[in-house]
Amino acid sequence: MDLAIVKSIVSGLMVLFITAIVLYTIRIIRGPTIPDMVLAVDALAYDMAVMIIALSFLFNTPYLAVASLPLVLWAYILDMYVAKYLERKSIGD
Amino acid sequence: MTKRIIASIIATTLFLMAIYIVYTGAITPMDILLGLVGSSIIASFTADMLLRNPNKLIDVRRWLYFLAYAFIYLTVIELKAHLQVVKIILHPKTPVNPSIVRIPYEVTSDYAKTTIANSITNTPGTVVVDIDDIRKVFYVHWINAKSIEDREARKHVSSTFEKYAKKIFD
Amino acid sequence: MINQLLWGYYYAVLMLILFMSIYGIAVRPNLLKKIIMLSILSDTANILAVMIGLHVGRTIPPVYPGITFTVETLPNSTSLKEFAKQAVDPLPQVLVVTAIVIGLAVLVFLSFTAILLYRKYGTLDTRDIINRIRGETQ
Amino acid sequence: MVKLKDVCIGLSLAVVAAIVSYLIISYNIASVAPEANRPLANMFLENVFNSEKWWLWAGSPEAVTSILWDYRGIDTVYETAVFFLAIIASIALVRTLKLTPETSGRGFGLTVIAKTVTNIVFASIPIVAYSIAVHGHLTPGGGFQGGSAFAVAPLLAISVFSLRVIVMRGWSKDRLLALRTTGLLLIGLIAIIVVALSALKGIIAYVMQNQPKPWAPAGLSAIVDFINPTLISGTLFWLNISEFLAVGAGLSLVFVLLVSPTKMLDVEVEEK
Amino acid sequence: MILEVIGWIGISLLAIGALMDVIAAIGINKFKNFYLRLHAATVGIIGGAFYPLLGLGLLSLSLEQLGVIRFYIAGISFTSAFFVLITAPVGSHILARAAHRVGVMPEPIGVDRLKEDREKGVFK
Amino acid sequence: MTVEYTLQHILLLVALTLALIFTYKTLVERDLIEAIVYSAGQAVAYGLAFIALMAPDLALAYIAVGVGIYSALFIIVVSHTERYEKE
């Protein structure tokens, strides 16, 4: 496949991803309850994981992709901690 | 006893090795050596958490069912569920009936329970809110509840998942 | 012109974040809020340092691409010169890598201190803590 | 509800920020700096993997790791020392704390679904962190990154399985301290191994030396013959692994201590 | 030829994912309570992150001109996709459970069996 | 102006603006748990900024530390102490 075509398509799709990120941010700021905000932060982090890999295509530098997996895994830990605190008020229990 | 521990350590090593190789994306001899060293060290600490009955891993039928399930789930079932929720998002007038229903299950192993629960949550439209281990019930928030009776709801939500999960893990 | 404006905007935003976090550290009474703002302050300082290492037109990280454990050929001087013309400055990044991890260790220490202070005085509010300490000494 | 004071503070902050950034931009300090401003960066980038200038190279395509552990190696050793001082200070604050299965909470944890998935994730995080650490001299990553990635595994396990389970699995204070000290000792050992070996032969060498120089022809070789010619960049590979051990174990130790039950910390306060 | 097909499959997955993501982001702003937003977020995470990650992995496998390094990107995308698939539902489930226990109740609702059972004391 | 350069500007624009908003919310929020979630959002935005600044090493270290460890650490502190900040 032609790399130039792929790049132009992917960079067009990046606009959609950035739109989604802005919309998620609105929910984080408006979010009436804490679970709402954490959910939106999660979705934001997963989106950015996709964006980072797409960026490594667009910048022609594969090494940028390396940060994607941490973002996916560490969003999970935020969920766990907030939920555990809300539920039990104590983390070690 | 010791045989089972060794078998589970070997299986865990292979699993971790697969993650390592896919993550690094290179198969040089040095990569394989380092991967084997690292994953066997980590596997010897974590194998007892991951696997309790390594004999199930040798069964080829379970793997075939697993592949079939993964294919069906990731294509047909997800597509249907996505379209449903997208319709609700784009047409606010669509009648919805959000409810938290009980979905009973009959599997025993932890992996089977987790597979069913994750399959339910991963299809948009249904989310497992809570699980009762003693009475063997999931509490599922369903965006468009077609039925609030336990058996009926189970037929709509989780019968396919349960059929496969039972064959794969139990 | 638009270039200048954009860079001005980035620096202005970073400066604003910097000032906001300093304001939070200095004015907010809660110890944990101070610690959170301190983490933001150190991160912003790191971003500023890395931003200075980025020059116009540099769009490659400072890693020579395409090398695995098995080496067939080593690059020659010309290809490395070509690479150096495109890559960003590695030095600020080096300074920041250690700064991030050490910042984490320091924050852990501060968190320990905050927890023990709460256990001793029953509050994280600095004004209350000062009042309690004065009450004890008098 | 917006107060006048807040508005004043915000406006003044904005004005100061605008002035500072205008100064930065208009004096060409940062954003559009000319090529003449970066001879050092060019030197590093051109020579870090240049085998033709073998007296300057670090034997690694990763400029960041090479500068971290080769060109500025001693600096990084001291940075690691600062890191350990902070960790030791944290431990010293709770030094009488003894974690046993009886004193470490009730051990509830979260639901069975979370536990099963976390089993898989808990086993996978160390292998990913290990991969980041051992490829530190080839791709982005290294000891610090791998270590801080590894520290997430105990954090996850503490919240999902509960502290009691972790303590019962043998994550005791002494073992983690021993592991962390091993990492630190390994760094020290690698720092002086070249000096020690060349002293036996009667050659001059530097502490933390990676590749040989004309005036100090000692050092570990960058490319070893393991089935194929394999690039391990001399000491960088080993230093990354030891730093991974040290940072990972040190952070895990602090977090295990940090989540100990509140009443244990209370005892700690009363004893002071 | 086969690589071409794989590449186009990857691009179409990415495109569908981007679309799903925007729709989910609209939905997460539109829905009235937390439990409904969970469903929108699932669309955003599975449709908007898992499938694009798979698509990017396939796409990078098909681009031969990138050389050996394409396996690097593909590997990272596939690993990320795997972890999204197994961790994201647990995150949603745990958040929903915590929210229900803290008292974020779904309003309006047809029936709430969980609340009934907890009030009856069948399930603690 | 190449494509990469434009993209870099767009990313920095988005990331830094997000970071500014999240920092402001962190500063004014009285509920410390919410402040921690906002600061996690700020960390994600900074991670994107590190990517845009071509520093994958830092993005690796910073995302692990900023999103995962900082928020976990602060929540642990809140669980040992108090949740609301006084006026």
Side-chain angles (χ1 to χ4, degrees):
Chain A
M1 288 176 81
D2 195 5
L3 201 60
I5 299 174
V6 171
K7 269 176 140 183
S8 53
I9 294 175
V10 173
S11 54
L13 292 176
M14 293 299 281
V15 178
L16 291 182
F17 278 109
I18 290 178
T19 320
I21 282 177
V22 171
L23 288 173
Y24 285 133
T25 313
I26 293 173
R27 174 46 75 192
I28 297 174
I29 289 160
R30 276 176 53 202
T33 62
I34 293 168
D36 275 316
M37 291 162 55
V38 179
L39 196 68
V41 170
D42 259 20
L44 186 77
Y46 289 134
D47 261 23
M48 285 209 181
V50 179
M51 256 179 79
I52 283 170
I53 293 184
L55 283 177
S56 73
F57 269 109
L58 296 179
F59 282 117
N60 273 337
T61 50
Y63 293 131
L64 286 183
V66 80
S68 160
L69 186 62
L71 206 48
V72 167
L73 283 176
W74 310 166
Y76 179 59
I77 204 174
L78 182 68
D79 286 1
M80 290 298 150
Y81 268 78
V82 172
K84 182 114 188 202
Y85 176 74
L86 291 178
E87 208 180 305
R88 291 215 182 274
K89 305 280 175 232
S90 150
I91 300 294
D93 242 2
Chain B
M1 184 65 200
T2 45
K3 215 174 183 178
R4 216 180 70 193
I5 290 173
I6 290 171
S8 60
I9 286 179
I10 290 173
T12 317
T13 308
L14 288 179
F15 169 68
L16 293 179
M17 190 69 193
I19 289 182
Y20 178 89
I21 292 290
V22 173
Y23 181 67
T24 53
I27 318 179
T28 61
M30 191 68 174
D31 270 316
I32 293 174
L33 176 76
L34 284 173
L36 275 179
V37 171
S39 49
S40 55
I41 291 173
I42 294 162
S44 60
F45 288 114
T46 54
D48 60 325
M49 297 161 76
L50 263 131
L51 285 175
R52 299 218 166 65
N53 193 355
N55 290 333
K56 284 182 189 170
L57 283 175
I58 312 168
D59 200 341
V60 181
R61 266 186 325 180
R62 292 177 194 273
W63 286 99
L64 289 180
Y65 274 120
F66 177 73
L67 289 179
Y69 176 58
F71 184 74
I72 292 174
Y73 180 75
L74 289 180
T75 51
V76 181
I77 299 175
E78 283 282 6
L79 186 71
K80 270 189 204 161
H82 272 86
L83 287 182
Q84 195 192 353
V85 175
V86 166
K87 210 171 96 189
I88 293 173
I89 292 172
L90 293 182
H91 296 278
K93 295 287 191 300
T94 317
V96 292
N97 177 24
S99 291
I100 295 185
V101 296
R102 275 192 294 257
I103 307 268
Y105 64 89
E106 277 162 8
V107 295
T108 47
S109 73
D110 284 357
Y111 278 104
K113 282 180 217 166
T114 310
T115 310
I116 297 174
N118 278 5
S119 304
I120 292 174
T121 312
N122 260 344
T123 44
T126 45
V127 171
V128 176
V129 177
D130 215 330
I131 172 175
D132 189 347
D133 245 350
I134 301 157
R135 289 186 301 140
K136 289 183 171 273
V137 167
F138 293 124
Y139 292 91
V140 174
H141 186 274
W142 194 358
I143 195 168
N144 192 7
K146 296 201 180 80
S147 163
I148 53 170
E149 288 306 314
D150 295 2
R151 298 278 147 192
E152 281 292 306
R154 179 186 175 185
K155 205 181 286 173
H156 282 289
V157 175
S158 76
S159 54
T160 323
F161 309 145
E162 198 167 338
K163 198 177 77 194
Y164 279 102
K166 208 165 190 170
K167 280 175 181 158
I168 297 168
F169 290 108
D170 263 358
Chain C
M1 181 58 205
I2 179 122
N3 225 352
Q4 208 81 338
L5 265 179
L6 278 170
W7 284 103
Y9 176 73
Y10 305 149
Y11 280 99
V13 166
L14 285 178
M15 287 297 155
L16 256 181
I17 296 177
L18 217 59
F19 292 141
M20 265 191 318
S21 47
I22 291 172
Y23 171 81
I25 294 170
V27 177
R28 278 300 149 111
N30 190 295
L31 270 178
L32 181 58
K33 189 52 114 9
K34 283 177 199 279
I35 294 177
I36 295 175
M37 296 319 278
L38 182 64
S39 81
I40 294 178
L41 175 67
S42 68
D43 298 344
T44 314
N46 292 343
I47 286 260
L48 263 175
V50 179
M51 211 165 186
I52 290 169
L54 182 94
H55 290 238
V56 172
R58 304 300 149 112
T59 50
I60 283 190
V63 184
Y64 188 80
I67 306 290
T68 53
F69 266 120
T70 304
V71 278
E72 278 102 29
T73 48
L74 291 171
N76 53 5
S77 288
T78 28
S79 59
L80 275 162
K81 276 221 168 64
E82 199 57 36
F83 162 67
K85 270 187 195 134
Q86 296 172 335
V88 296
D89 194 344
L91 202 56
Q93 302 193 7
V94 175
L95 302 179
V96 168
V97 166
T98 49
I100 286 174
V101 180
I102 290 169
L104 173 65
V106 171
L107 278 185
V108 169
F109 172 66
L110 289 177
S111 311
F112 260 111
T113 325
I115 292 173
L116 291 183
L117 271 176
Y118 181 83
R119 288 292 128 202
K120 192 156 169 62
Y121 295 109
T123 176
L124 273 185
D125 199 300
T126 35
R127 296 164 299 190
D128 289 357
I129 292 178
I130 288 172
N131 286 339
R132 300 267 164 91
I133 293 175
R134 282 194 187 133
E136 272 178 14
T137 49
Q138 275 160 15
Chain D
M1 180 61 199
V2 181
K3 281 187 226 147
L4 187 65
K5 184 184 144 202
D6 291 346
V7 173
C8 292
I9 290 170
L11 276 182
S12 53
L13 283 184
V15 168
V16 174
I19 291 171
V20 171
S21 48
Y22 174 74
L23 290 179
I24 288 177
I25 293 298
S26 60
Y27 284 93
N28 267 356
I29 293 171
S31 68
V32 280
E35 195 60 24
N37 276 17
R38 41 175 267 161
L40 191 61
N42 281 338
M43 195 282 278
F44 280 137
L45 289 169
E46 280 168 20
N47 295 322
V48 73
F49 198 44
N50 192 351
S51 55
E52 291 160 20
K53 286 190 192 169
W54 56 272
W55 58 95
L56 277 180
W57 88 323
S60 156
E62 234 278 60
V64 174
T65 307
S66 343
I67 298 172
L68 199 66
W69 285 118
D70 188 351
Y71 298 107
R72 296 173 59 94
I74 304 272
D75 182 30
T76 311
V77 171
Y78 287 129
E79 302 254 25
T80 314
V82 174
F83 173 76
F84 284 117
L85 274 182
I87 286 197
I88 287 169
S90 320
I91 301 167
L93 285 178
V94 288
R95 63 184 171 283
T96 54
L97 194 77
K98 287 242 167 17
L99 281 178
T100 55
E102 289 78 41
T103 57
S104 51
R106 292 165 292 177
F108 282 131
L110 290 169
T111 59
V112 61
I113 302 166
K115 279 180 184 165
T116 316
V117 168
T118 309
N119 275 335
I120 301 174
V121 176
F122 180 69
S124 319
I125 288 177
I127 197 78
V128 169
Y130 173 79
S131 168
I132 292 174
V134 296
H135 289 84
H137 60 288
L138 299 172
T139 56
F144 282 103
Q145 289 91 335
S148 50
F150 175 79
V152 176
L155 273 176
L156 197 57
I158 285 165
S159 82
V160 178
F161 302 140
S162 81
L163 180 63
R164 189 188 178 122
V165 174
I166 294 298
V167 174
M168 274 160 74
R169 290 187 65 83
W171 290 57
S172 67
K173 192 171 160 183
D174 297 337
R175 278 189 202 172
L176 287 172
L177 259 175
L179 208 59
R180 191 213 63 172
T181 316
T182 313
L184 200 56
L185 284 179
L186 277 176
I187 293 177
L189 186 71
I190 296 161
I192 60 167
I193 195 163
V194 175
V195 184
L197 287 180
S198 53
L200 290 179
K201 286 193 225 157
I203 320 168
I204 297 174
Y206 295 105
V207 178
M208 296 289 291
Q209 184 171 355
N210 179 13
Q211 299 298 323
K213 315 272 177 262
W215 56 91
L220 303 182
S221 63
I223 297 173
V224 296
D225 224 7
F226 170 79
I227 307 179
N228 300 326
T230 299
L231 182 75
I232 64 162
S233 308
T235 53
L236 298 188
F237 177 72
W238 307 106
L239 282 168
N240 271 333
I241 289 184
S242 5
E243 184 72 28
F244 166 64
L245 261 186
V247 172
L251 287 178
S252 313
L253 172 62
V254 201
F255 292 132
V256 169
L257 288 180
L258 196 62
V259 283
S260 49
T262 313
K263 64 172 188 284
M264 301 278 296
L265 292 174
D266 277 343
V267 173
E268 199 68 25
V269 171
E270 266 149 36
E271 277 177 8
K272 292 221 171 92
Chain E
M1 185 57 214
I2 188 93
L3 285 180
E4 194 105 327
V5 172
I6 289 178
W8 282 111
I9 290 175
I11 286 189
S12 49
L13 277 179
L14 185 65
I16 293 170
L19 212 64
M20 284 284 175
D21 211 15
V22 175
I23 292 172
I26 294 169
I28 215 171
N29 277 297
K30 214 166 174 181
F31 281 152
K32 289 288 182 288
N33 68 51
F34 169 67
Y35 296 86
L36 294 177
R37 279 175 214 137
L38 266 175
H39 302 301
T42 313
V43 174
I45 292 169
I46 298 300
F50 172 71
Y51 284 108
L53 281 171
L54 273 188
L56 282 168
L58 293 176
L59 179 59
S60 62
L61 277 184
S62 74
L63 291 173
E64 265 182 326
Q65 54 268 52
L66 289 182
V68 187
I69 214 71
R70 70 183 189 274
F71 295 116
Y72 186 75
I73 305 182
I76 290 173
S77 345
F78 287 140
T79 336
S80 305
F82 171 67
F83 282 114
V84 169
L85 189 66
I86 67 168
T87 58
V90 181
S92 307
H93 153 65
I94 288 292
L95 273 178
R97 176 181 142 104
H100 203 279
R101 293 190 171 218
V102 166
V104 182
M105 287 302 165
E107 301 276 339
I109 188 139
V111 287
D112 190 345
R113 297 279 190 211
L114 181 55
K115 199 177 166 195
E116 286 167 18
D117 280 2
R118 289 183 67 186
E119 276 166 2
K120 264 189 268 172
V122 190
F123 178 52
K124 61 159 186 21
Chain F
M1 277 245 293
T2 59
V3 180
E4 283 91 7
Y5 192 50
T6 319
L7 203 63
Q8 211 170 26
H9 271 308
I10 294 172
L11 285 176
L12 277 176
L13 209 63
V14 172
L16 292 182
T17 314
L18 285 189
L20 181 67
I21 295 168
F22 283 133
T23 313
Y24 176 71
K25 292 298 284 184
T26 316
L27 181 67
V28 297
E29 189 57 61
R30 301 250 166 235
D31 185 346
L32 287 172
I33 295 281
E34 286 191 25
I36 290 165
V37 177
Y38 284 129
S39 80
Q42 174 260 348
V44 174
Y46 269 13
L48 193 64
F50 274 126
I51 291 289
L53 293 172
M54 296 293 133
D57 285 275
L58 300 184
L60 255 183
Y62 183 72
I63 288 171
V65 169
V67 185
I69 300 181
Y70 276 169
S71 35
L73 177 68
F74 297 147
I75 289 177
I76 291 171
V77 176
V78 171
S79 79
H80 280 303
T81 59
E82 62 196 0
R83 178 167 165 181
Y84 294 97
E85 189 183 12
K86 277 186 211 149
E87 191 57 53

